[in-house]
Amino acid sequence: MTMNSIRAKSLPLSSSSSSSLLFRLRCCNNHNNNISSFPIPFNSNFPHLRSTTRFPLNCASSINFSDDDSQLPDPTPNHSSPAATPAKQTLLSILEILKNSNSLLPPAILASTLLALIFPPSLTWFTTRYFAPALGFLMFAVGVNSSEKDFIEAFNRPAEIAAGYFGQFVVKPLLGYLFYIIAVTVFGLPPAIGAGIVLVACVSGAQLSNYATFLTDPQMAPLSIVMTSLSTASAVFVTPLLLLLLIGKRVPIDVKGMVFSITQIVVVPIALGLLLNRFFPRICDAIRPILPPLSVLVAAICAGAPLALNVECIKSPLGISILLLVVAFHLSAFIAGYVLSGSVFRDSPDVKPLQRTISFETGMQSSLLALALANKFFEDPVVGMPPAISTAIMSLMGFGLVLIWNKRGKHETKQST
């Protein structure tokens, strides 16, 4: 039955029913004037309806109020005005853009690299004294965006974590020492150049490997975070030990000073971020949207500034040799991580994503940390040239693999469908 009009009549209130109102609806039909009515009890807990004996209805367009019913005001307050809704949507869009600004990291690093080579003065203001605070900020951002759940989920795969750790602190340092020998014996470079390559090979994994894993295999991001976090935390002890074993007799190293420096640059900022996220979540929610764009800016500057500061050495014949050695080192590390994990976990259902994750973990190092350590603990400034070149090369090669693997994954998806 289609209702063309609705009337609401109030019934007399008895003294014993002061807590409720009883309304009777009269529904009229055009074809016959049959009237059907039913009572609706209404609780008086709604104070804005206590003073009225009419029950206003918001009806569909096919239902019209008769008489003066259409003139009744809507007692329900309207909290969202039409002007406020677009403003709120705009604010949410801005926050979403800020949170997703990490997608600008590859082009930002490429632009910073080109800018450093074409116009070095644009980045030479970012001297070596800013590297440690910048790296600490990046570590703090990682801590703010991490939680205990990330570790709990990934710790259910101890074999994969051990494989990533093995690639980080066994395979990679051995490759670094191999290229140390090649640099000194084959290329005839000073031992300080080889020491710089070993330094890059002995530091922890780069946080950029987590983002590269997220872009390629999002489901593996927690595992990558745990791998990088473990290597970063243990680098306090492992990195000085490896440097002492591999090049300690050739280049003087302040092991105690390095332990303190790594603790100050890496462990403390990550711990502060985790504690802030744990005990002050509202503060984290307030600052979290602005951390991605700031991290992109800091990472891009940190990638280009070392090139700008050492542009003359890099453009020299010595720099070209270092560039070739650094590219070969990172390429071999990417390949070694991919091949070794594929042979160990060949029966795993997610072997391909796991191979890519461990490849990123093995091939991408915290070159900024290596550069900061080189500037602080090595007397020869040439030691800092391999880490300076590695900051840009590692990022460009890693995100180049992201593009290749994503394109291959889309092609495989099309073939399977």
Side-chain angles (χ1 to χ4, degrees):
M1 178 181 69
T2 304
M3 294 186 296
N4 291 332
S5 64
I6 298 179
R7 294 179 183 273
K9 284 189 174 182
S10 61
L11 296 182
L13 293 175
S14 62
S15 59
S16 61
S17 59
S18 59
S19 62
S20 65
L21 297 177
L22 186 64
F23 292 92
R24 188 173 302 277
L25 297 178
R26 302 181 63 206
C27 304
C28 301
N29 185 282
N30 274 347
H31 302 290
N32 50 34
N33 291 326
N34 293 334
I35 299 177
S36 59
S37 62
F38 51 91
I40 299 180
F42 197 84
N43 196 297
S44 64
N45 290 331
F46 295 85
H48 58 274
L49 291 177
R50 289 178 186 174
S51 60
T52 180
T53 59
R54 288 185 176 270
F55 181 59
L57 298 174
N58 292 329
C59 302
S61 59
S62 61
I63 302 176
N64 301 318
F65 290 105
S66 63
D67 300 336
D68 296 330
D69 289 346
S70 60
Q71 306 299 325
L72 290 175
D74 188 358
T76 305
N78 187 8
H79 297 284
S80 58
S81 62
T85 301
K88 186 176 181 180
Q89 292 177 348
T90 302
L91 178 60
L92 292 176
S93 300
I94 294 175
L95 292 177
E96 194 67 22
I97 292 173
L98 292 176
K99 291 179 181 179
N100 296 329
S101 59
N102 279 334
S103 59
L104 301 175
L105 187 57
I109 291 177
L110 179 60
S112 178
T113 302
L114 295 176
L115 188 63
L117 296 175
I118 297 174
F119 188 63
S122 61
L123 294 172
T124 51
W125 61 270
F126 197 84
T127 56
T128 55
R129 65 176 179 174
Y130 296 117
F131 290 146
L135 185 60
F137 171 77
L138 295 177
M139 297 297 103
F140 172 77
V142 172
V144 168
N145 288 281
S146 302
S147 65
E148 297 85 352
K149 288 184 179 180
D150 298 329
F151 296 90
I152 294 174
E153 292 177 359
F155 271 123
N156 293 326
R157 309 186 69 171
E160 289 82 352
I161 295 174
Y165 196 86
F166 180 84
Q168 189 69 249
F169 284 128
V170 177
V171 175
K172 189 161 57 73
L174 290 177
L175 288 174
Y177 189 72
L178 174 63
F179 281 95
Y180 171 89
I181 297 174
I182 293 175
V184 175
T185 59
V186 177
F187 287 82
L189 298 175
I193 298 296
I197 297 176
V198 173
L199 181 59
V200 172
C202 292
V203 294
S204 59
Q207 301 300 332
L208 291 179
S209 65
N210 306 148
Y211 184 61
T213 299
F214 174 76
L215 293 178
T216 308
D217 302 288
Q219 73 279 9
M220 289 291 178
L223 181 63
S224 176
I225 291 173
V226 170
M227 290 179 180
T228 305
S229 300
L230 286 178
S231 67
T232 300
S234 60
V236 174
F237 307 102
V238 178
T239 297
L241 179 61
L242 288 173
L243 291 174
L244 185 63
L245 292 174
L246 295 176
I247 58 175
K249 294 182 180 180
R250 298 176 176 85
V251 180
I253 301 173
D254 184 2
V255 177
K256 292 183 179 180
M258 288 182 64
V259 170
F260 176 77
S261 182
I262 293 175
T263 303
Q264 186 181 26
I265 295 173
V266 178
V267 177
V268 173
I270 289 181
L272 287 177
L274 288 173
L275 291 175
L276 191 67
N277 193 18
R278 179 68 176 85
F279 297 104
F280 303 97
R282 291 187 178 180
I283 298 178
C284 285
D285 292 338
I287 66 175
R288 193 172 284 120
I290 64 174
L291 287 179
L294 290 178
S295 299
V296 170
L297 178 63
V298 170
I301 294 176
C302 290
L307 295 179
L309 293 171
N310 299 276
V311 65
E312 296 299 329
C313 296
I314 293 172
K315 292 181 178 180
S316 66
L318 184 65
I320 295 175
S321 300
I322 298 175
L323 176 63
L324 294 176
L325 288 169
V326 170
V327 170
F329 164 73
H330 283 292
L331 182 61
S332 62
F334 280 118
I335 295 174
Y338 189 85
V339 173
L340 292 178
S341 59
S343 61
V344 174
F345 302 103
R346 57 181 177 274
D347 297 328
S348 177
D350 55 353
V351 58
K352 290 298 181 182
L354 187 58
Q355 283 182 274
R356 292 189 284 264
T357 300
I358 296 181
S359 177
F360 285 132
E361 198 68 24
T362 307
M364 301 180 74
Q365 291 77 45
S366 184
S367 301
L368 286 176
L369 176 60
L371 182 61
L373 296 176
N375 291 329
K376 189 170 184 179
F377 297 105
F378 292 82
E379 297 177 358
D380 196 338
V382 179
V383 178
M385 291 183 64
I389 297 177
S390 175
T391 54
I393 296 301
M394 174 267 298
S395 302
L396 293 176
M397 293 181 68
F399 288 105
L401 284 175
V402 169
L403 297 177
I404 293 173
W405 279 331
N406 278 339
K407 186 176 181 180
R408 182 179 298 177
K410 292 180 181 179
H411 181 67
E412 292 175 354
T413 303
K414 288 181 180 180
Q415 286 184 341
S416 61
T417 55

